[in-house]
Amino acid sequence: MTHGEPNPLESPVGAGRRFPPSAEFTAQANAHPELQAWAAADRLGFWADQARQLLSWGTDFTEVLDWSAAPVAHWFGDGRLNACYNAVDRHVEAGHGDRVALHFEGEPGDTRTITYAELQREVSRAANALVALGVQTGDRVAIYLPMIPEAVIAMLACARIGAVHSVVFGGFSAEALRTRIADAQAVLVITADGGFRRGSATALKPAVDEAVGSPAGAVGPVDGADHRGTTARNVLVVRRTGQDIAWTPGRDVWWHEALEAASDVHEPVLVGSEHPLFILYTSGTTGKPKGIFHTTGGYLTQCAYTHLNVFDLKAETDVFWCTADVGWVTGHSYVVYGPLVNGATQVIYEGTPDTPTKGRWWDIVSKYGVTILYTAPTAIRTCMKWGEDIPGGYDLSSLRLLGSVGEPINPEAWTWYRRVIGGDRTPVVDTWWQTETGAIMISPLPGISSGKPGSAQTPLPGIAADVVDEEAHPVANGSGGYLVLTEPWPAMLRGIWGDPQRYADTYWSRFPGIYFAGDGAKKDADGDIWLLGRVDDVMNVSGHRLSTTEIESALVSHPMVAEAAVVGASDETTGQAVVAFVILRAEYLDRADEIGEGADVAATLRAHVTKEIGPIAKPRTILVVNELPKTRSGKIMRRLLRDVAEHRTVGDVTTLADSSVMDLISEGLHTPPPT
Ligand code: WT7
């Protein structure tokens, strides 16, 4: 950890205001006040009941939790089920085949409505197509798609045959895709020719060609070892944009052709509750992303439970819209598994909120009558910046509940969201969780909790979380420390793919026996929890998790760069922004003097980071410096660089090997370079 203590005692603005639920909302709410007492009295019995009520099991389980192999949990271990059957088939069998599962809205304005019965036929065809391509139960399949229905169908088709999906966000580079395919040894990649974004067709297939390494003219190994995604035997390609793409015969297969040739009947494969459902890579504190993997029964139980109680879902009448991409965990749990297991009707949208106009989201809300909206603070702050006249021009009266996720929501954004989008009437739920936790852990319960802007408030019934000090002692109300989870929970990760030691070290060694989330938090006078941001080298940019070390590695892989230090500086819209300090190699220094800290170096390096990781990781600001502040043991003091990047007086420099370097850096920064 570099920047040490969170600053828990800083009092957030607007902390005092409470928003009690209306009597009407409470009267119809799914969540009941007894949930908490029930879960507290018999936690495992409570989860067993949730698992049996919310899911259909092929074989019931006899044991709820086996924690004897801690920190790897086994939930409902001897039960058997199929995730896709739970998300699709059983709703058709229950007579809801005509209910809309997905209202798809493409960015160019094309739409598709898919009922549960249609979804069942589509996923069955896709499952048969995967089998025809030789994909077996337990194999890994990489999915690299835009936000189109095929992304949902592909995930479900994998689950249907017991294959493990590894979705890679379409905004990641070929290089990032390659390492993920190689790490999981995926046998198949499902992609598209491209997708629509900001008004034009962007390509995806070329990145797959580069990552998988087409036999003709393939790029050589980067670092001597062959890390290419050559384990992938086939590439299944959805035609979305119709743009021209390169084709490798024998390897590449069109999705529509494979599905046309396949039967629309497929028997879902029953798997054990602990069978892996998916791997999802996320940034950690080192350069190498972690393949977080989740299993079936516990994960689905908690997704369904939270989706039902936190979002108050009424499957018959609600229209749910989670704006996340399936490339992130939010899309896994609250676009695919939670809503579909609960038989919900939902909206998925391919594009950005400002295409073709800044009213696009609100147009979608009114068009489909969205009742529950789940999005990230960065999107809310962007809308605030655009002004309330834009949402004001649409009928948003269908909305009855609003959710927030991904980063702390500042009280101003919370109250704006409720007033402008929620018409001063909707509950707002600020939900804390992580890729690792699989599902929501801390959140108000609508209809029960009085909303408190800026606070995620309380652990859900059945979840044990606390804020502790350095010695793992719970802090008193009014104090801050580290957020921990003190009991295993059903949707918890089961490990880091292929690296059990890293799993134990990362999450279970800081406080032995309890899970360390990496977040700072405080308890207020009521004992409610306020999240204060990461206390490790992980940044949160627009609700996306990025590793400082990973971006530093990308920067130093450019021949121009000798050394790099990256920090997350606070940013009004994106929460944090990537700011990089770089030392150029001697042979480039003269040139750097010539062009100052200006555009060329920064533009080159930003493009390089985009290529290595993806556009989301591209630094907002790159500052060329001559020195970096280091401790005597050679560790870069990112805390001081953050002070500089956030225009604060530089803090304590006494542990620096050379305390004059901060003066040099600050001097060089009088005029921030263009971004
Ligand atoms: C990190 C996890 C969970 C889905 C999206 C992000 C931050 C998440 C909140 C919240 C404050 C939050 C934490 C966490 N975070 N939700 N409601 N309030 N911070 O998943 O990419 O795994 O990132 O996001 O720092 O550790 P992720």
Side-chain angles (χ1 to χ4, degrees), residues 330 406-408 430-435 519 531 534 540 545:
T330 310
E407 50 179 318
D430 173 14
T431 63
W432 178 89
W433 57 296
Q434 309 178 293
T435 305
D519 281 298
L531 277 309
R534 302 286 307 194
N540 191 324
R545 198 159 137 180

Side-chain angles (χ1 to χ4, degrees), residues 503-572:
Y503 170 57
D505 293 347
T506 307
Y507 304 104
W508 302 92
S509 68
R510 177 71 179 77
F511 304 109
I514 58 178
Y515 176 92
F516 172 47
D519 281 298
K522 78 165 243 176
K523 288 191 231 172
D524 68 15
D526 304 324
D528 280 337
I529 295 173
W530 295 71
L531 277 309
L532 301 170
R534 302 286 307 194
V535 293
D536 54 13
D537 293 336
V538 170
M539 293 171 289
N540 191 324
V541 178
S542 298
H544 297 152
R545 198 159 137 180
L546 298 170
S547 153
T548 51
T549 330
E550 199 180 345
I551 300 174
E552 286 166 4
S553 308
L555 286 166
V556 296
S557 75
H558 192 282
M560 201 190 273
V561 178
E563 257 190 282
V566 165
V567 297
S570 52
D571 182 282
E572 250 185 38

Side-chain angles (χ1 to χ4, degrees), residues 366-388:
S366 66
K367 174 174 174 185
Y368 295 102
V370 171
T371 57
I372 304 167
L373 178 69
Y374 190 33
T375 194
T378 184
I380 300 163
R381 289 191 297 263
T382 302
C383 293
M384 281 173 77
K385 216 165 58 184
W386 291 342
E388 53 189 87

Side-chain angles (χ1 to χ4, degrees), residues 190-484:
I190 306 179
T191 190
D193 47 1
F196 293 100
R197 211 172 162 74
R198 298 220 145 83
S200 51
T202 57
L204 276 178
K205 175 71 164 43
V208 178
D209 291 333
E210 201 183 322
V212 175
S214 41
V219 280
V222 179
D223 53 6
D226 187 358
H227 295 305
R228 273 179 297 155
T230 44
T231 53
R233 298 184 302 255
N234 290 102
V235 178
L236 192 52
V237 188
V238 176
R239 184 183 275 154
R240 168 67 185 139
T241 59
Q243 63 211 122
D244 283 338
I245 52 172
W247 198 258
T248 304
R251 185 199 70 184
D252 296 350
V253 179
W254 281 113
W255 168 275
H256 60 271
E257 287 177 4
L259 264 69
E260 258 158 42
S263 156
D264 65 2
V265 178
H266 176 273
E267 186 63 33
V269 175
L270 277 185
V271 297
S273 179
E274 285 299 338
H275 184 75
L277 179 62
F278 67 87
I279 306 172
L280 186 59
Y281 288 83
T282 190
S283 297
T285 54
T286 71
K288 189 177 183 284
K290 301 178 281 197
I292 302 300
F293 78 93
H294 285 281
T295 60
T296 309
Y299 171 77
L300 293 178
T301 299
Q302 198 177 326
C303 284
Y305 160 75
T306 51
H307 184 254
L308 204 64
N309 289 289
V310 174
F311 298 116
D312 193 50
L313 181 90
K314 309 288 191 287
E316 320 256 305
T317 47
D318 275 318
V319 178
F320 180 78
W321 185 20
C322 164
T323 64
D325 189 285
V326 292
W328 309 106
V329 75
T330 310
H332 283 61
S333 304
Y334 301 105
V335 175
V336 182
Y337 293 108
L340 295 177
V341 164
N342 286 337
T345 293
Q346 55 178 333
V347 168
I348 62 172
Y349 169 55
E350 179 185 26
T352 59
D354 54 355
T355 309
T357 72
K358 294 187 169 80
R360 186 66 185 273
W361 273 17
W362 316 119
D363 185 42
I364 292 173
V365 167
S366 66
K367 174 174 174 185
Y368 295 102
V370 171
T371 57
I372 304 167
L373 178 69
Y374 190 33
T375 194
T378 184
I380 300 163
R381 289 191 297 263
T382 302
C383 293
M384 281 173 77
K385 216 165 58 184
W386 291 342
E388 53 189 87
D389 286 355
I390 292 171
Y394 297 86
D395 177 9
L396 305 181
S397 61
S398 56
L399 289 169
R400 65 179 197 90
L401 189 135
L402 302 175
S404 171
V405 64
E407 50 179 318
I409 177 165
N410 44 312
E412 297 80 358
W414 193 106
T415 44
W416 187 92
Y417 193 28
R418 186 180 183 279
R419 179 175 61 81
V420 177
I421 307 303
D424 244 338
R425 69 184 180 272
T426 61
V428 173
V429 290
D430 173 14
T431 63
W432 178 89
W433 57 296
Q434 309 178 293
T435 305
E436 291 87 342
T437 70
I440 297 168
M441 302 292 282
I442 305 176
S443 169
L445 278 175
I448 298 179
S449 318
S450 274
K452 192 185 269 190
S455 171
Q457 299 190 243
T458 43
L460 292 177
I463 298 299
D466 211 335
V467 181
V468 301
D469 65 17
E470 296 285 346
E471 273 75 52
H473 301 307
V475 301
N477 288 355
S479 306
Y482 303 99
L483 183 71
V484 295

